[in-house]
């Protein structure tokens, strides 16, 4: 029975199908949902943290179910009344046991789909070389192939789409290609730059995923999908440079870079962390070229499709430059990073919670201060001692973390779930609060809160008088409040806090001072559009905050 109280058998024939999308907070899933909605489908999303979808422009048009693909009960709830279920999740980079996690999740998904009477499963997997036995593949490709086999054997008609490199703004493969090409005019590269690959544009992937919702029920098989060209990775870098208007790159392949060394090399040069770069580079050792194009019989290509490589790159670059990237590879949570939101009643209440609080009065409109707050990070920087942030980012990269290179999805607007350098947006209340959760490698959990408060230090609240003041261009005093929180794990966590706390006056104190200064320089909304971060090269030495441990409150 569906959410509207009807069963599939009792629905009129022209009723749009109900589609379940897993991985809606990720790169492909976040783009597939609006495609399905635009074609009249009804969409339900199975997500571990529904709040991550809150700021999506399509959030009010979908039904959400909280759950996890490894939890049979939550999958069963999500499958109720579903016609087509999209499986777009994987445990890549979650640890050495990720293959087992993928196996368990696929079995749960297939079994619950069969019990619920789902009419079709659709899975986006990886293209594998026909000449290499599955047991000899990289763990990444081997797991993708195994998940496909499990779903095909589930008893539910399944379409497995197998793709190689996906070219689109924000995809991990595209970001790796882009940064390697843009940052290295001369490259000493691994042997895999000579491997033949059949890349595919993300818009073709989405078109085929949507089309699979209407496959005949007797279709239960895998399909190879790719673009119209077969290229080496070297070809792709050279053609990317040409499309991007860069000078011709010099590429020198050498045989000594192992997959492990390659992943660290990619991790240093690109924003893709080593945990994700390693499986990607390991997979590039294999020639991945489509062996058939049977999907064309069921989902014919319209004029202009499949998209050629150069056009796919040009479209991706245009979206990047216009800040219209809908989703990014970093939209998905980083394996090994703290994933729990700041709890209102933490289970570690009574333990140590270190804080660093900074407050400053701002002679600026609340909206001017908020615009600066929402614009932190990425190209705008962090408004204090840039060298300290760069060093911290480099240390995180060497430790296998994400570092600072993830940047921002949009230069001006943030939404819950966005990655922001080595932070992730955990909560945003427009005009009032931005809470970031650390995803750098730390011996504990860390958050950074940036608030706009009234004169008494309370959150600003819009009322009729405030609206009139804004209309007249006047406003009362406003305060900026900045709070860093750290919950240590073990002795190492405590030692970490005390080792870095002497630098907080420079980093956090300067950040508070310079954010306020930037807001005060903005005399009007028109002026603020051109205001950037202040020159923060001189280290700040404000002592207007306190550091030290306190007992964690019940409602922090």
């Amino acid at each position: 029975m569906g959410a509207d109280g009807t069963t599939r058998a009792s629905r009129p024939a022209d009723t749009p199908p109900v589609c379940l999308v897993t991985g809606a907070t990720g790169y492909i899933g976040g783009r597939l949902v609006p495609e399905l909605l635009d074609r009249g489908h009804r969409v339900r999303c199975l997500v571990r943290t529904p709040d991550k979808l809150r700021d999506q422009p399509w959030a009010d048009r979908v039904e959400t179910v909280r759950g996890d693909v490894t939890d049979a009960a939550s999958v069963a709830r999500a499958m109720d009344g579903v016609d087509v279920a999209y499986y777009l999740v994987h445990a890549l980079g979650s640890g050495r046991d990720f293959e087992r996690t993928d196996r368990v999740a696929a079995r749960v998904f297939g079994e619950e789909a069969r019990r619920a009477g789902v009419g079709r499963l659709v899975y986006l997997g990886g293209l594998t070389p026909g000449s290499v036995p599955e047991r000899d593949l990289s763990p990444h490709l081997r797991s993708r192939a195994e998940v496909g086999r499990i779903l095909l054997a589930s008893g539910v008609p399944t379409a497995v789409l197998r793709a190689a490199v996906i070219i689109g703004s924000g995809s991990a493969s595209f970001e790796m290609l882009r940064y390697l090409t843009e940052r290295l005019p001369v490259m000493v590269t691994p042997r895999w730059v000579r491997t033949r690959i059949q890349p595919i544009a993300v818009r073709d992937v989405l078109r085929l995923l949507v089309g699979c919702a209407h496959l005949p029920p007797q279709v239960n098989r895998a399909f190879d999908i790719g673009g119209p060209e077969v290229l080496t990775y070297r070809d792709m870098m050279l053609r990317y440079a040409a499309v991007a208007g860069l000078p011709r790159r010099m590429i020198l392949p050498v045989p000594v870079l192992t997959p492990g060394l390659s992943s660290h090399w990619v991790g240093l040069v690109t924003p893709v962390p080593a945990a994700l770069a390693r499986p990607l580079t390991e997979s590039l050792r294999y020639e991945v070229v489509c062996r058939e194009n049977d999907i064309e019989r069921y989902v014919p290509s319209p004029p202009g499709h499949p998209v050629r490589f150069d056009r796919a790159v040009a479209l991706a670059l245009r979206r990047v430059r216009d800040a219209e990237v809908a989703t990014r590879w970093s939209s998905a949570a980083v394996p090994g990073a703290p994933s729990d939101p700041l709890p209102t009643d933490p289970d570690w209440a009574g333990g140590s919670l270190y804080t660093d609080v900074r407050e400053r009065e701002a002679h600026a409109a609340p909206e001017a201060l908020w615009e600066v707050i929402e614009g932190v990070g990425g190209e705008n920087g962090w408004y204090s001692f840039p060298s300290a942030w760069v060093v911290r980012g480099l240390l995180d990269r060497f430790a296998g973390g994400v570092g600072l290179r993830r940047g921002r999805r949009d230069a001006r607007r943030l939404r819950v779930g966005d990655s922001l350098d080595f932070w992730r947006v955990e909560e945003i209340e427009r005009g009032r609060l931005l809470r970031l959760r650390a995803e750098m490698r730390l011996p504990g959990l860390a958050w950074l809160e940036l608030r706009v408060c009234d004169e008494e230090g309370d959150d600003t609240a819009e009322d009729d008088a405030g609206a009139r003041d804004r209309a007249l261009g006047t406003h009362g005093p406003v305060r900026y409040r900045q709070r860093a929180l750290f919950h240590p794990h073990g002795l190492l966590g405590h030692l970490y806090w005390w080792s870095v706390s002497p630098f907080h006056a420079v980093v956090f104190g300067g950040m508070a001072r310079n954010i306020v200064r930037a807001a005060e320089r903005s005399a009007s909304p028109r002026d603020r559009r051109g205001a950037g971060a202040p020159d923060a090269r001189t280290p700040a030495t404000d002592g207007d905050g306190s550091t030290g441990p306190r007992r964690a409150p019940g409602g922090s």
Side-chain angles (χ1 to χ4, degrees):
M1 182 176 291
D4 57 1
T6 64
T7 63
R8 278 185 294 275
S10 64
R11 291 179 196 156
D14 59 350
T15 301
V18 176
C19 298
L20 173 67
V21 177
T22 62
T25 58
Y27 176 69
I28 293 294
R31 294 182 177 221
L32 176 63
V33 169
E35 294 287 333
L36 292 170
L37 291 170
D38 289 347
R39 285 160 177 76
H41 298 64
R42 292 179 293 170
V43 178
R44 182 181 302 160
C45 299
L46 174 64
V47 290
R48 286 179 294 181
T49 310
D51 279 349
K52 288 185 177 181
L53 300 182
R54 189 185 66 196
D55 293 331
Q56 292 283 2
W58 39 261
D60 59 349
R61 301 168 60 195
V62 303
E63 179 188 355
T64 59
V65 175
R66 182 189 297 272
D68 188 276
V69 288
T70 60
D71 174 40
S74 62
V75 174
R77 290 195 303 273
M79 291 285 188
D80 186 26
V82 165
D83 300 290
V84 182
Y86 287 90
Y87 191 79
L88 304 174
V89 295
H90 57 81
L92 178 63
S94 62
R96 295 182 178 179
D97 210 23
F98 81 91
E99 289 184 84
R100 178 184 175 278
T101 303
D102 274 339
R103 185 181 308 121
V104 169
R107 286 173 178 164
V108 167
F109 199 78
E111 290 170 1
E112 296 305 325
R114 186 181 67 252
R115 290 192 181 100
V118 172
R120 163 73 54 194
L121 297 181
V122 183
Y123 169 56
L124 179 61
L127 190 58
T128 57
S131 59
V132 180
E134 187 175 307
R135 65 179 180 274
D136 295 333
L137 294 173
S138 68
H140 167 222
L141 288 181
R142 186 170 62 232
S143 181
R144 291 294 185 93
E146 183 182 22
V147 167
R149 283 191 288 101
I150 291 171
L151 296 178
L152 286 168
S154 66
V156 179
T158 299
V160 175
L161 301 185
R162 303 190 299 193
V165 171
I166 296 176
I167 303 298
S169 55
S171 81
S173 297
F174 177 74
E175 291 296 312
M176 195 169 90
L177 174 67
R178 179 163 76 100
Y179 278 90
L180 285 175
T181 308
E182 290 184 353
R183 292 182 172 176
L184 299 175
V186 178
M187 288 174 271
V188 177
T189 57
R191 285 178 298 179
W192 47 253
V193 297
R194 296 171 174 165
T195 303
R196 295 170 73 240
I197 302 166
Q198 192 164 350
I200 183 171
V202 67
R203 56 182 55 197
D204 281 318
V205 174
L206 296 172
R207 174 178 61 83
L208 294 172
L209 286 170
V210 172
C212 283
H214 306 284
L215 290 176
Q218 67 271 21
V219 174
N220 184 64
R221 56 163 293 184
F223 296 95
D224 292 351
I225 61 172
E229 300 162 278
V230 176
L231 306 168
T232 66
Y233 206 87
R234 180 180 183 276
D235 293 335
M236 291 196 293
M237 288 192 285
L238 293 175
R239 288 175 63 169
Y240 176 95
V243 173
L246 302 171
R248 182 177 175 83
R249 273 28 194 164
M250 184 177 295
I251 301 171
L252 306 173
V254 295
V256 295
L257 287 179
T258 65
L261 290 174
S262 294
S263 66
H264 288 295
W265 172 66
V266 171
L268 287 173
V269 177
T270 80
V272 181
L276 183 56
R278 175 153 191 154
L280 290 177
T281 55
E282 284 180 338
S283 300
L284 290 173
R285 291 181 296 164
Y286 307 103
E287 182 174 284
V288 279
V289 177
C290 295
R291 298 183 294 276
E292 42 84 10
N293 188 33
D294 295 349
I295 191 67
E296 188 73 19
R297 301 205 314 256
Y298 302 99
V299 188
S301 297
H305 290 266
V307 177
R308 297 185 66 83
F309 178 83
D310 290 358
R311 175 163 168 74
V313 169
L315 290 168
L317 286 176
R318 188 176 69 187
R319 283 188 172 272
V320 170
R321 290 165 181 165
D322 294 344
E324 295 178 354
V325 180
T327 60
R328 304 174 72 214
W329 62 272
S330 55
S331 300
V334 175
S339 58
D340 295 329
L342 182 65
T344 56
D345 189 12
D347 56 7
W348 39 267
S352 294
L353 180 66
Y354 293 100
T355 65
D356 181 283
V357 179
R358 310 275 163 175
E359 287 195 18
R360 297 186 70 91
E361 183 174 296
H363 300 284
E367 59 267 29
L369 180 57
W370 175 254
E371 185 169 321
V372 177
I373 289 173
E374 193 173 5
V376 297
E379 294 297 323
N380 297 328
W382 292 90
Y383 290 85
S384 74
F385 202 13
S387 298
W389 291 91
V390 170
V391 169
R392 185 63 183 88
L394 290 174
L395 290 174
D396 193 54
R397 298 290 289 185
F398 281 115
V402 295
L404 285 175
R405 291 184 180 150
R406 292 191 303 183
R408 298 173 54 111
R409 178 190 57 84
D410 186 295
R412 298 182 61 188
R413 297 279 289 181
L414 293 173
R415 62 192 186 198
V416 170
D418 272 0
S419 61
L420 181 58
D421 294 332
F422 47 44
W423 305 91
R424 187 169 297 277
V425 178
E426 181 175 277
E427 182 58 80
I428 186 167
E429 298 176 16
R430 302 256 173 237
R432 299 185 182 187
L433 166 69
L434 173 63
R435 180 187 297 141
L436 307 175
R437 186 183 72 248
E439 289 195 332
M440 71 281 282
R441 299 289 183 178
L442 288 171
L445 305 175
W447 295 265
L448 180 62
E449 290 184 344
L450 313 179
R451 289 181 182 268
V452 179
C453 305
D454 61 18
E455 187 178 10
E456 286 73 33
D458 297 326
D459 288 350
T460 55
E462 181 74 294
D463 54 20
D464 292 340
R468 284 197 305 273
D469 286 345
R470 263 214 331 275
L472 294 172
T474 63
H475 53 81
V478 64
R479 294 191 69 81
Y480 169 72
R481 188 170 191 264
Q482 176 181 296
R483 185 169 68 141
L485 304 99
F486 182 68
H487 171 55
H489 285 172
L491 177 61
L492 184 60
H494 292 275
L495 294 175
Y496 170 81
W497 176 265
W498 287 111
S499 69
V500 299
S501 59
F503 303 99
H504 286 172
V506 174
V507 177
F508 290 138
M511 181 178 179
R513 184 182 68 247
N514 289 328
I515 283 178
V516 168
R517 284 179 179 174
E520 290 175 340
R521 288 208 313 269
S522 304
S524 69
R526 183 180 297 107
D527 295 334
R528 286 199 309 276
R529 295 182 190 278
D535 185 349
R537 288 173 291 181
T538 302
T541 56
D542 298 57
D544 55 353
S546 61
T547 62
R550 63 175 174 84
R551 304 295 287 177
S556 176

